[in-house]
Amino acid sequence: MATMASLFLKTPGPSQSLPKTHKTHFVLPQNLPLSWRSKYRAGPPAAARIRCGLIEPDGGKLVELIVEEPQRDLKRRQTLSLPQIKLSKIDIQWVHVLSEGWASPLKGFMRESEFLQTLHFNSLRLGDGSVVNMSVPIVLAIDDSNKNNIGDSSSVALVDDKDNPIAILNDVEIYKHNKEERTARTWGTTAPGLPYAEQAITHAGNWLIGGDLEVIEPIKYHDGLDRFRLSPAELRDEFTRRNADAVFAFQLRNPVHNGHALLMTDTRRRLLEMGYKNPVLLLHPLEVLEDGVLDPETTVVSIFPSPMHYAGPTEVQWHAKARINAGANFYIVGRDPAGMGHPLEKRDLYDADHGKKVLSMAPGLERLNILPFKVAAYDKTQNGMAFFDPSRPQDFLFISGTKMRALAKNKESPPDGFMCPGGWKVLVDYYDSLTPSENVRVPEPVPV
Amino acid sequence: MATMASLFLKTPGPSQSLPKTHKTHFVLPQNLPLSWRSKYRAGPPAAARIRCGLIEPDGGKLVELIVEEPQRDLKRRQTLSLPQIKLSKIDIQWVHVLSEGWASPLKGFMRESEFLQTLHFNSLRLGDGSVVNMSVPIVLAIDDSNKNNIGDSSSVALVDDKDNPIAILNDVEIYKHNKEERTARTWGTTAPGLPYAEQAITHAGNWLIGGDLEVIEPIKYHDGLDRFRLSPAELRDEFTRRNADAVFAFQLRNPVHNGHALLMTDTRRRLLEMGYKNPVLLLHPLEVLEDGVLDPETTVVSIFPSPMHYAGPTEVQWHAKARINAGANFYIVGRDPAGMGHPLEKRDLYDADHGKKVLSMAPGLERLNILPFKVAAYDKTQNGMAFFDPSRPQDFLFISGTKMRALAKNKESPPDGFMCPGGWKVLVDYYDSLTPSENVRVPEPVPV
């Protein structure tokens, strides 16, 4: 944890002002490796899409929905006179996501027209005719008694499980929650056992309520990690402070190993070759980073607060789109991003290549440069991670995230040079700390 | 049938030349009824989208894939040296659809990048960055033995059940047919009992093959109705010949009754009020039209050759998009278009309003003016069809397509003035002619 802090610590105090976005176009060097752009990407040539400075947020302006300090007491009192909806933990995570503008230009939970566009088109058309990507429904489910209780009220109070007010939802619209259709169009299956569906859809109410959010204060989890949950505005401030002229985002769920590090270092090298002077890595892991494998000067580590859907090609668009709002203009994508095994059948739910293909073609992501993964593996001849060389496959060992977690759970060690020892110890300690009930099998997500 | 012929007969002989598309913009009268445009439609104002003359086909040029007469023998001989794929009846219908450019700019069965864009975005991005709508996968399934047989051949011959050559598919690409994902993303359910899935997906092969089509000769069904299957090029020629300055399309599966006629006549009146001088109706029914209810001078009746999916909001986009290619710039849409009952549950599969909402927001359909249905019902005080007046609901009788078919099957009569007697007799005779096995219950599509 201490090492993460050394990379970047959240600035205390208010620093919500937006950095100016630069609109000048970057003149692309002649040696742009075109292979980086997927062959599936049609449209204008890359040169037209790569800009200097920070990429603009979707819709042109970062949405921030947190009530200013002086108004907070007033808003808290206002909630007392409104019908109340109790939020689940996942609902509160979505309020967090919305409040900081990760889903810009969404101003709250989706109304029906946004929900339908998300399900059918994975994108939203804005008032000016432009299109932004939006692949995952960000919706709030309520049941019949909530709906009756709300009646004709145009605003409702959203509260946590202890009835503390979290937010006010205004100009609400209530519409049907067709769970089967939502699940089918989001995951491409309706098989029972999808973790998100079981947690947040199957037993949720039969109605959805959309509206504009006013979030009473910043969402905190008080788990010791809040300082790593940088908002898009804070990330943009940091990138501006560092004079970044390219920001490349890398999300992963599995512990960072030296193969990832090799990939990220290599990406930076290639961006420098392309003519960028100061590319900065936005690393959004779920685990820790240690031992100086990556350069703190050019790396920002931060936690992405969004709940996971494991919806593969649909979800990876959300992961990428949210990073535009945080200022990233390059996105690294690997094999089967956000994928998992089929809940019922012995196969992966998604084709391993579909994530990057869909991402490369997705409406509203034209401004984002997609960098497909190179495959790194453990090179037995060098006792370290290296890019896979297809001419000598026998020399390489593939260690998946699943395999890695299995080793850590059993307190076995990976080969030397696979991961920094400090990182491995954190992982082993983590699994050791889990109570048996937390450690039961859920459908195993396929590792990024 | 004789009456249909009096409306418009297919011109014999070759007349495949494309009409010139007019690019001048129509200056919209001030009294455009904005309520016609769905409130869900964002984007540029209507005035920018309504043009004089025929609307351009998607991609700018109508695709036609039929081999010219002098080359046909050569192509037939060529098929003898190619690996063969046997087409089902539905496959041949899709070859028909593709060959005439209903799915322009598609040049053949979808390759994987088109398939993925269709499933995820209901649209295709073209080389110039523009977007066209494409909501329904137009794909050809093959099995393992077909795939082995094709090997490395870049072209395959498509043949009918008697091994007659139908087409050649060039530059083929073979990719996985994930049937569950295809079904879930197209229908929003994977419940067994979807008619199209049972006919064309569930028992189809595990691979899809895409490529560019060369269709050896125009597809004919020899069922006495071929002359009513006008191609988009023929329809465009006809609209041009009639100097149409607006073309409004109306598709329906149920027998045309006087309520539909009222709606279509009223639409024409409103288009005249908007300033159009010669609006022409493109009526694409599955049944007959009789007794001069609609004016032959301003009506073109033609059969739309596409197989039905009953995929509701997903499919209605295809129905609308195909009509752009046939020259229509207005599309009338009703309640629950292309919908059906849920195969397993006692409810409609789709919300009755979602079809028109999704259609109004669909990417690539911005140029098409969507005209939502007005509800017509049988007015008992007038013994005829009239637009429903909510101030006196007791005077109105709703007769659904399902109800209508039930009456006809039982040789009962609808109320006077509901439908022209000649049309009703055709309907009763039709059901009388069905053998019992043809008359068994399939999941009952909800009527348009």
Side-chain angles (χ1 to χ4, degrees):
Chain A
M1 225 51 72
T3 348
M4 283 180 83
S6 79
L7 289 176
F8 180 60
L9 256 184
K10 188 159 183 170
T11 322
S15 69
Q16 301 279 339
S17 68
L18 281 180
K20 282 205 183 61
T21 52
H22 304 256
K23 292 211 182 183
T24 48
H25 282 75
F26 181 76
V27 180
L28 203 71
Q30 292 301 308
N31 63 342
L32 171 73
L34 276 175
S35 61
W36 281 27
R37 298 174 53 231
S38 163
K39 63 172 176 165
Y40 296 91
R41 165 92 79 185
R49 258 188 266 110
I50 299 181
R51 291 165 180 231
C52 180
L54 292 187
I55 193 170
E56 271 202 354
D58 277 345
K61 188 175 179 311
L62 198 63
V63 167
E64 292 184 282
L65 304 172
I66 296 164
V67 173
E68 299 286 331
E69 181 74 59
Q71 265 76 53
R72 290 181 187 168
D73 273 344
L74 181 72
K75 290 293 169 188
R76 273 191 201 93
R77 281 196 302 277
Q78 200 184 320
T79 62
L80 300 176
S81 60
L82 293 175
Q84 290 195 346
I85 296 174
K86 202 157 275 193
L87 300 182
S88 71
K89 276 187 185 159
I90 285 184
D91 294 335
I92 292 177
Q93 287 175 298
W94 284 122
V95 171
H96 181 187
V97 164
L98 290 164
S99 72
E100 296 182 340
W102 293 96
S104 291
L106 278 189
K107 294 195 168 69
F109 287 105
M110 290 178 177
R111 298 193 179 87
E112 193 185 40
S113 74
E114 293 153 341
F115 178 62
L116 288 176
Q117 290 180 79
T118 297
L119 288 189
H120 288 275
F121 318 132
N122 286 9
S123 61
L124 302 175
R125 192 197 306 268
L126 309 185
D128 65 359
S130 67
V131 169
V132 298
N133 193 267
M134 193 67 246
S135 60
V136 164
I138 301 183
V139 290
L140 181 59
I142 58 173
D143 61 21
D144 290 1
S145 74
N146 289 138
K147 181 170 180 286
N148 291 336
N149 190 31
I150 293 165
D152 288 337
S153 178
S154 69
S155 295
V156 300
L158 309 183
V159 302
D160 69 11
D161 57 356
K162 295 183 185 67
D163 289 333
N164 298 313
I166 301 291
I168 296 173
L169 197 64
N170 294 311
D171 295 326
V172 299
E173 178 184 306
I174 297 176
Y175 54 101
K176 269 187 226 155
H177 187 189
N178 185 335
K179 299 173 186 181
E180 183 189 47
E181 185 175 4
R182 173 183 173 190
T183 305
R185 295 198 191 274
T186 304
W187 280 270
T189 180
T190 56
L194 299 169
Y196 188 91
E198 301 222 323
Q199 267 190 290
I201 300 180
T202 314
H203 308 291
N206 289 321
W207 304 95
L208 297 174
I209 183 167
D212 295 335
L213 270 179
E214 294 179 287
V215 182
I216 293 170
E217 57 186 274
I219 306 291
K220 298 293 172 202
Y221 300 82
H222 308 294
D223 57 357
L225 296 176
D226 282 331
R227 60 184 175 157
F228 299 111
R229 293 192 178 93
L230 305 175
S231 73
E234 289 166 331
L235 286 167
R236 286 174 167 267
D237 280 346
E238 182 60 20
F239 299 141
T240 304
R241 198 182 64 70
R242 295 191 187 206
N243 288 316
D245 60 356
V247 176
F248 55 115
F250 187 57
Q251 142 151 344
L252 74 182
R253 296 193 310 279
N254 290 309
V256 180
H257 59 59
N258 291 349
H260 298 128
L262 174 65
L263 174 81
M264 293 182 276
T265 309
D266 188 65
T267 301
R268 180 177 159 76
R269 185 185 58 72
R270 292 169 74 183
L271 289 170
L272 290 169
E273 274 176 19
M274 280 167 68
Y276 288 102
K277 300 297 178 208
N278 190 22
V280 170
L281 166 64
L282 166 59
L283 182 58
H284 258 162
L286 299 184
E287 312 270 346
V288 300
L289 180 74
E290 279 212 21
D291 290 3
V293 173
L294 291 166
D295 178 4
E297 285 303 307
T298 56
T299 307
V300 173
V301 183
S302 174
I303 296 175
F304 179 42
S306 169
M308 262 317 273
H309 271 60
Y310 298 111
T314 298
E315 185 168 28
V316 72
Q317 297 174 67
W318 158 241
H319 291 168
K321 176 237 165 71
R323 272 37 175 258
I324 289 179
N325 288 332
N329 56 345
F330 286 84
Y331 188 82
I332 303 177
V333 60
R335 190 185 162 281
D336 201 16
M340 57 177 278
H342 192 287
L344 299 179
E345 300 167 26
K346 210 173 162 58
R347 62 171 174 93
D348 288 345
L349 189 46
Y350 305 109
D351 184 299
D353 288 331
H354 282 187
K356 67 167 175 267
K357 288 177 181 173
V358 167
L359 196 55
S360 302
M361 303 183 294
L365 297 184
E366 299 81 1
R367 299 181 297 149
L368 190 65
N369 295 279
I370 308 301
L371 306 177
F373 242 52
K374 295 168 77 170
V375 177
Y378 186 78
D379 185 341
K380 292 183 281 185
T381 67
Q382 299 182 34
N383 291 337
M385 298 302 287
F387 289 122
F388 178 68
D389 177 352
S391 71
R392 46 184 187 93
Q394 70 285 356
D395 292 344
F396 289 89
L397 205 59
F398 285 91
I399 301 172
S400 70
T402 307
K403 170 82 177 168
M404 210 190 326
R405 285 190 298 268
L407 289 172
K409 278 179 199 168
N410 299 330
K411 300 189 194 174
E412 296 173 41
S413 288
D416 282 351
F418 175 74
M419 194 174 181
C420 61
W424 189 255
K425 184 171 183 313
V426 170
L427 202 62
V428 172
D429 291 350
Y430 168 74
Y431 282 110
D432 216 28
S433 74
L434 294 182
T435 64
S437 73
E438 288 172 282
N439 219 346
V440 296
R441 185 185 174 278
V442 292
E444 191 65 68
V446 173
V448 172
Chain B
M1 228 49 76
T3 348
M4 284 181 81
S6 79
L7 291 176
F8 180 60
L9 256 184
K10 189 159 181 168
T11 321
S15 68
Q16 301 278 340
S17 67
L18 281 180
K20 282 204 183 62
T21 52
H22 304 256
K23 291 213 183 183
T24 50
H25 281 75
F26 181 76
V27 179
L28 202 71
Q30 291 301 308
N31 62 343
L32 170 74
L34 275 177
S35 62
W36 280 28
R37 296 175 51 230
S38 163
K39 63 170 177 165
Y40 295 92
R41 164 92 80 187
R49 259 187 265 112
I50 299 181
R51 292 165 178 230
C52 180
L54 293 187
I55 192 169
E56 270 202 356
D58 277 347
K61 187 173 180 312
L62 197 63
V63 167
E64 292 183 282
L65 304 172
I66 297 165
V67 173
E68 299 286 330
E69 180 75 59
Q71 265 75 54
R72 289 180 188 168
D73 274 343
L74 181 72
K75 290 291 168 188
R76 273 191 203 95
R77 280 195 304 274
Q78 198 184 322
T79 62
L80 299 176
S81 61
L82 293 175
Q84 290 196 344
I85 297 174
K86 202 158 274 194
L87 300 181
S88 72
K89 275 187 186 160
I90 286 185
D91 294 335
I92 292 177
Q93 287 176 297
W94 284 123
V95 171
H96 181 188
V97 164
L98 291 164
S99 71
E100 295 182 341
W102 294 96
S104 292
L106 278 189
K107 293 196 170 69
F109 287 105
M110 291 178 176
R111 298 192 178 88
E112 192 184 41
S113 74
E114 293 153 339
F115 178 62
L116 288 175
Q117 291 180 78
T118 297
L119 288 189
H120 288 276
F121 317 132
N122 286 9
S123 60
L124 302 176
R125 192 197 305 269
L126 309 185
D128 65 357
S130 67
V131 168
V132 298
N133 192 266
M134 194 66 246
S135 60
V136 164
I138 302 183
V139 289
L140 181 59
I142 58 173
D143 61 21
D144 291 1
S145 73
N146 290 137
K147 182 170 180 284
N148 290 337
N149 191 31
I150 293 165
D152 288 336
S153 178
S154 70
S155 296
V156 299
L158 309 183
V159 303
D160 70 11
D161 57 358
K162 295 184 186 68
D163 289 333
N164 298 312
I166 301 291
I168 296 173
L169 196 64
N170 293 311
D171 295 324
V172 300
E173 178 184 306
I174 297 176
Y175 54 101
K176 270 188 225 155
H177 187 190
N178 186 334
K179 300 174 185 182
E180 182 189 47
E181 185 175 4
R182 173 183 173 190
T183 306
R185 295 198 191 273
T186 305
W187 281 269
T189 180
T190 55
L194 299 168
Y196 188 91
E198 303 224 321
Q199 268 191 289
I201 300 179
T202 314
H203 308 291
N206 289 322
W207 304 94
L208 297 174
I209 183 167
D212 295 334
L213 269 179
E214 293 180 288
V215 182
I216 293 171
E217 58 187 276
I219 306 290
K220 298 295 170 199
Y221 300 83
H222 308 294
D223 56 358
L225 295 175
D226 282 330
R227 60 184 177 160
F228 299 111
R229 295 192 177 93
L230 304 175
S231 72
E234 289 166 331
L235 286 167
R236 286 175 167 265
D237 280 346
E238 182 61 19
F239 299 141
T240 303
R241 198 183 63 72
R242 295 190 187 208
N243 288 315
D245 59 358
V247 176
F248 56 115
F250 187 57
Q251 142 150 345
L252 73 182
R253 294 193 310 279
N254 290 310
V256 180
H257 59 59
N258 290 349
H260 297 128
L262 173 66
L263 173 82
M264 293 182 274
T265 309
D266 188 65
T267 300
R268 178 176 160 78
R269 186 185 56 72
R270 292 168 75 183
L271 289 170
L272 290 170
E273 275 176 20
M274 279 167 69
Y276 288 101
K277 300 300 177 205
N278 190 21
V280 169
L281 165 65
L282 166 59
L283 182 58
H284 259 162
L286 299 184
E287 312 270 346
V288 299
L289 180 75
E290 281 213 17
D291 289 4
V293 173
L294 292 165
D295 179 2
E297 285 303 308
T298 57
T299 306
V300 172
V301 184
S302 175
I303 296 175
F304 179 43
S306 170
M308 262 318 273
H309 272 59
Y310 298 110
T314 297
E315 185 168 28
V316 73
Q317 298 174 65
W318 159 240
H319 291 168
K321 176 240 165 71
R323 272 37 174 260
I324 289 179
N325 288 331
N329 56 344
F330 287 84
Y331 188 83
I332 303 176
V333 60
R335 189 185 161 280
D336 199 17
M340 57 176 279
H342 192 287
L344 299 179
E345 302 168 25
K346 211 175 161 55
R347 62 173 175 91
D348 287 345
L349 188 47
Y350 306 108
D351 185 299
D353 288 332
H354 281 188
K356 67 166 175 268
K357 288 177 182 173
V358 166
L359 196 55
S360 302
M361 304 183 294
L365 297 185
E366 299 82 1
R367 299 180 297 150
L368 190 65
N369 295 278
I370 308 300
L371 306 177
F373 244 49
K374 294 167 77 169
V375 177
Y378 186 76
D379 185 344
K380 292 182 282 185
T381 67
Q382 298 182 35
N383 291 336
M385 298 302 287
F387 288 122
F388 179 68
D389 177 353
S391 72
R392 47 183 187 94
Q394 69 285 356
D395 293 344
F396 288 88
L397 205 60
F398 285 90
I399 302 172
S400 69
T402 308
K403 170 82 176 165
M404 210 191 327
R405 285 191 296 266
L407 289 173
K409 279 179 197 167
N410 300 329
K411 299 187 193 175
E412 295 174 44
S413 287
D416 282 352
F418 174 74
M419 193 174 182
C420 61
W424 188 255
K425 185 170 181 311
V426 170
L427 203 60
V428 172
D429 291 349
Y430 168 73
Y431 281 110
D432 217 28
S433 74
L434 294 182
T435 64
S437 72
E438 289 174 281
N439 219 346
V440 296
R441 186 186 173 277
V442 292
E444 190 66 67
V446 173
V448 173

